[in-house]
Amino acid sequence: MKTIDSKTVQEKLAKGEDLNLIDVREVEEVQEGKIPGAVNIPLGLIEFRENELDKNKEYIMVCRSGGRSGQATQFLQSKGYDVTNMEDGMLGWEGPVEK
């Protein structure tokens, strides 16, 4: 499984890179703040909403600490998606958040 840390994600966004971020936390958690531009698809809905994703794009999966996003990464990887787990999750995020 490919991994990336929150600091690297923040640096890429600061450089203007267009990243496809999927936040797999529950809706209530995301309402407390998410990385700007991240799309919320709770982990329990990933298998039902995977058709919203494009196998030709790279995705970075985000959760609170990296556990749930790791599960989502493994699931989507098994389905042929190019996915990377943000291993330290929102606990490691020091950048801006949107509510």
Side-chain angles (χ1 to χ4, degrees):
M1 174 172 48
K2 293 189 295 184
T3 61
I4 191 168
D5 61 43
S6 59
K7 184 175 179 119
T8 304
V9 171
Q10 192 174 340
E11 289 168 357
K12 288 175 174 284
L13 289 171
K15 289 181 197 169
E17 289 187 39
D18 187 22
L19 303 179
N20 298 301
L21 302 165
I22 306 293
D23 193 321
V24 299
R25 296 177 296 157
E26 296 300 318
V27 173
E28 305 81 49
E29 294 174 279
V30 172
Q31 288 173 345
E32 295 173 14
K34 67 180 178 79
I35 299 171
V39 174
N40 178 224
I41 303 177
L43 178 62
L45 298 179
I46 284 284
E47 66 180 302
F48 304 107
R49 294 181 58 187
E50 72 172 276
N51 62 330
E52 297 174 27
L53 306 178
D54 182 345
K55 288 189 177 177
N56 296 313
K57 292 183 177 178
E58 182 179 344
Y59 294 94
I60 297 174
M61 310 306 287
V62 179
C63 71
R64 188 181 73 84
S65 64
R68 285 175 285 175
S69 56
Q71 291 175 28
T73 299
Q74 289 176 325
F75 172 77
L76 290 171
Q77 197 172 29
S78 75
K79 299 286 188 169
Y81 291 91
D82 184 2
V83 286
T84 302
N85 182 30
M86 191 170 95
E87 60 188 349
D88 54 353
M90 291 302 289
L91 290 177
W93 183 255
E94 296 178 359
V97 293
E98 67 180 16
K99 294 189 178 193

